[in-house]
């Protein structure tokens, strides 16, 4: 399965368990209204992009989906305990190797400094994981299997069955 929201929610749950002293949230719908109010730190989780592999020719669409997840880290200081550098390291250790729902283990792409405004430090981490994008299918309305009748070669047919016509 390749649904993005369950993947993000499993990452959020992992980070909430691994980093209980900070806020762990999905990136807000309106980033311009986000206010960092936690006394220690926060991590925002966002899906950044996806890339798709070649089609596997198996009669329907199956593709590898590479997801890039973007984490924004907020902290009230840089070097102290629970500062930006500590939170960046703790986040990287918590997410590296973690397998989100229906995905391969996460691996790091890059990280770095974003900004500092009025004593609030922002850093980022980007990780990648892979999953499969599979075509949704609709079940065909085919006849249903009802009953199996077994007989050995040479046994007589049941009276309600007719032998198949032989083809010339």
């Amino acid at each position: 399965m390749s649904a993005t929201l369950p993947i993000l929610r499993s990452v959020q749950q992992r980070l909430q368990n691994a980093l209980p002293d900070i806020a762990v949230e999905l990136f807000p719908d309106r980033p311009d209204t986000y206010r960092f109010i936690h006394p220690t730190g926060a991590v925002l989780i966002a899906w950044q992009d996806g890339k798709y592999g070649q089609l596997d020719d198996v009669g329907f669409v199956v593709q590898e989906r590479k997801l890039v997840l973007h984490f924004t880290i907020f902290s009230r200081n840089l070097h102290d305990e629970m500062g930006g550098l500590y939170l960046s390291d703790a986040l990287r250790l918590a997410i590296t190797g973690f397998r989100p729902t229906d995905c391969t283990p996460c691996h790091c792409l890059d990280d770095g400094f974003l900004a500092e405004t009025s004593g609030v430090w922002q850093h980022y981490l980007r990780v990648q994981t892979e999953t499969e994008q599979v075509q949704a299918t609709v079940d065909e309305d085919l006849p249903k299997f009802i009953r199996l009748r077994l007989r050995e070669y040479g046994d007589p047919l049941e009276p309600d069955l007719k032998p198949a016509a032989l083809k010339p």
Side-chain angles (χ1 to χ4, degrees):
M1 176 145 159
S2 181
T4 306
L5 190 56
I7 293 169
L8 294 178
R9 291 248 185 254
S10 70
V11 168
Q12 180 183 22
Q13 185 63 49
R14 163 66 174 203
L15 295 180
Q16 283 175 335
N17 292 339
L19 307 168
D21 296 329
I22 65 170
V24 178
E25 304 170 24
L26 297 183
F27 209 81
D29 290 333
R30 297 186 54 211
D32 57 326
T33 64
Y34 177 75
R35 299 292 175 251
F36 170 48
I37 58 172
H38 195 276
T40 307
V43 172
L44 300 181
I45 306 163
W47 164 74
Q48 184 170 348
D49 65 20
K51 304 231 184 300
Y52 297 86
Q54 296 292 323
L55 289 174
D56 289 334
D57 187 14
V58 293
F60 55 93
V61 176
V62 176
Q63 291 176 281
E64 178 185 46
R65 179 181 182 208
K66 296 179 182 181
L67 287 94
V68 175
L69 305 179
H70 188 279
F71 301 91
T72 303
I73 305 152
F74 290 86
S75 64
R76 302 240 175 246
N77 60 64
L78 184 59
H79 299 290
D80 295 341
E81 182 180 340
M82 300 301 283
L85 296 177
Y86 170 82
L87 292 179
S88 293
D89 289 343
L91 171 63
R92 193 175 58 255
L93 290 171
I95 199 65
T96 300
F98 171 67
R99 296 177 71 106
T101 300
D102 298 324
C103 293
T104 61
C106 291
H107 54 278
C108 298
L109 297 176
D110 59 357
D111 61 1
F113 171 75
L114 285 174
E116 183 276 330
T117 306
S118 301
V120 174
W121 294 83
Q122 294 179 43
H123 292 83
Y124 75 93
L125 171 65
R126 288 184 336 122
V127 303
Q128 180 172 304
T129 185
E130 292 81 23
T131 187
E132 292 290 323
Q133 180 65 46
V134 179
Q135 168 185 336
T137 60
V138 177
D139 290 337
E140 295 180 45
D141 190 22
L142 299 173
K144 306 296 184 249
F145 180 78
I146 298 172
R147 188 173 81 166
L148 176 66
R149 298 180 186 192
L150 297 174
R151 74 179 184 99
E152 297 283 330
Y153 181 77
D155 287 350
L157 290 177
E158 293 186 34
D160 61 326
L161 295 179
K162 296 179 186 172
L166 297 176
K167 295 182 182 178

